[in-house]
Amino acid sequence: MTRKYIYIIGVFLFVGISHIKAQEPQYVKADSLKVVSLLGEAAKADKTTNWVLFFSKRLEGIPYVAKTLEKNDKERLVINLQQLDCTTFVETVMALSLCAKNKQTRFDDYCRSLRMLRYRGGMVSYPTRLHYFTSWIADNTTLGFVREVHQPDSIFTQTQTLAIDYMSQHVEKYPMLVKNPSWVKEISDIEKALNGKKYRYIPKTEIANTHAFRQTIHDGDIIAIVTNKKGLDTSHIGFAVWRKDGLHLINASQIHKKVVNESMTLYEYMQKHPTQIGIRIIRPL
């Protein structure tokens, strides 16, 4: 065999190994141990357990860190239970909940659930990551993981018409897009496909502690906070939990720098944020 052919074979092997490595989940041992421990604990819990609240409570106190998915040159399935932002918190809880619901206890099961939740069609790449939460809702509705609640009309009184272009217009805020400008066109196409779609939401001024609201919003529902910030659909997400004084939000909080069960009601919380205009409700199935 000539030196030329040996070189070519070596190149193919390197590319193949690099591709396989890029598809492998990225995590440290502490992450896999924590996942297995949490799923093992869930396996011993009552089958009627609200899994979202079960896992949310066990993740309280984990530090808030933004852009933990934006630190690689190439897209990887990142598993990080040491640092969470609002989206990775919700995805982590949802992936754990799916495993618990299906009586799965292996780390591989968790990775598979997270991959399906985070990426369109479960295909790991930057453009197929469900960056906009409206895309996340639609894809996971198709998979049967969630459904959006938009009734009754007396509570969902407003409509949001999407006009999305934030990522393509603010590339500098996304490190992986900066490194890979060829992806911007794909992101822009995704934005254009969303534009014009309409979604019912509850205005923040009308959130109330009433029987009708308690019947409409359930403990463990995903609360997607609708924003009037140009180019975006939502600006923050978390989980609903009712207390005696009203509806509260469990979230990875940039303000508190950790995962918290907010002490103030959601109504009080949202009055402090002028760009937050209301909420959409997504129910885990």
Side-chain angles (χ1 to χ4, degrees):
M1 187 178 294
T2 68
R3 185 177 300 177
K4 177 182 177 181
Y5 287 117
I6 292 172
Y7 171 78
I8 292 171
I9 291 170
V11 168
F12 277 115
L13 286 173
F14 175 78
V15 171
I17 291 168
S18 298
H19 177 73
I20 291 169
K21 184 177 180 181
Q23 297 303 310
E24 291 175 351
Q26 177 179 307
Y27 62 95
V28 298
K29 189 174 182 180
D31 296 316
S32 59
L33 290 175
K34 190 173 184 70
V35 166
V36 171
S37 174
L38 288 169
L39 293 179
E41 188 179 351
K44 300 172 186 174
D46 190 279
K47 64 180 179 180
T48 62
T49 297
N50 183 317
W51 295 120
V52 166
L53 297 189
F54 178 90
F55 291 116
S56 292
K57 182 176 178 59
R58 282 151 181 80
L59 297 181
E60 284 184 30
I62 291 178
Y64 173 96
V65 177
K67 299 186 185 298
T68 57
L69 305 185
E70 292 281 332
K71 296 181 178 180
N72 294 318
D73 290 330
K74 299 296 182 183
E75 188 75 4
R76 301 276 298 277
L77 176 64
V78 174
I79 293 98
N80 184 351
L81 279 74
Q82 318 305 310
Q83 303 167 327
L84 296 167
D85 62 24
C86 68
T87 301
T88 57
F89 167 63
V90 166
E91 289 179 336
T92 298
V93 170
M94 284 292 298
L96 289 166
S97 298
L98 284 172
C99 287
K101 175 185 172 184
N102 293 315
K103 299 180 180 178
Q104 297 171 333
T105 59
R106 301 182 309 157
F107 182 61
D108 285 349
D109 297 323
Y110 171 82
C111 292
R112 187 179 305 107
S113 293
L114 183 63
R115 177 169 53 81
M116 296 305 296
L117 285 161
R118 182 173 291 167
Y119 295 97
R120 184 175 294 103
M123 298 295 294
V124 179
S125 74
Y126 192 88
T128 56
R129 196 200 309 168
L130 300 165
H131 298 277
Y132 290 102
F133 202 62
T134 295
S135 295
W136 192 99
I137 297 166
D139 203 67
N140 284 291
T141 296
T142 299
L143 292 173
F145 295 157
V146 301
R147 71 174 177 86
E148 184 158 8
V149 178
H150 47 77
Q151 293 288 339
D153 290 344
S154 59
I155 290 177
F156 293 85
T157 61
Q158 296 296 319
T159 301
Q160 179 189 37
T161 302
L162 299 188
I164 289 178
D165 64 2
Y166 191 85
M167 290 182 69
S168 61
Q169 294 301 310
H170 298 86
V171 172
E172 74 282 357
K173 295 182 181 292
Y174 301 90
M176 290 182 71
L177 272 185
V178 172
K179 295 175 185 175
N180 299 275
S182 64
W183 294 343
V184 177
K185 171 65 166 58
E186 293 180 75
I187 295 298
S188 179
D189 288 343
I190 291 166
E191 293 170 338
K192 290 173 183 175
L194 289 170
N195 288 338
K197 294 183 183 296
K198 299 177 184 292
Y199 298 94
R200 304 284 293 179
Y201 71 91
I202 304 169
K204 68 179 182 182
T205 54
E206 297 178 21
I207 297 171
N209 185 15
T210 64
H211 177 72
F213 267 83
R214 286 179 177 265
Q215 288 291 104
T216 301
I217 304 172
H218 298 175
D219 284 340
D221 281 351
I222 300 170
I223 295 176
I225 296 181
V226 179
T227 182
N228 61 13
K229 191 169 182 178
K230 188 176 184 304
L232 286 175
D233 51 350
T234 61
S235 59
H236 191 52
I237 56 176
F239 293 109
V241 61
W242 285 99
R243 297 193 211 162
K244 192 172 183 180
D245 63 341
L247 182 63
H248 289 252
L249 182 70
I250 307 174
N251 69 125
S253 168
Q254 188 174 18
I255 296 170
H256 297 291
K257 305 298 182 187
K258 61 183 178 180
V259 176
V260 297
N261 187 331
E262 293 285 351
S263 59
M264 66 181 76
T265 65
L266 181 63
Y267 176 88
E268 294 167 333
Y269 171 89
M270 292 187 69
Q271 308 317 307
K272 297 178 181 294
H273 298 84
T275 61
Q276 297 179 354
I277 60 174
I279 57 175
R280 290 166 65 181
I281 302 300
I282 299 87
R283 181 154 301 148
L285 299 177

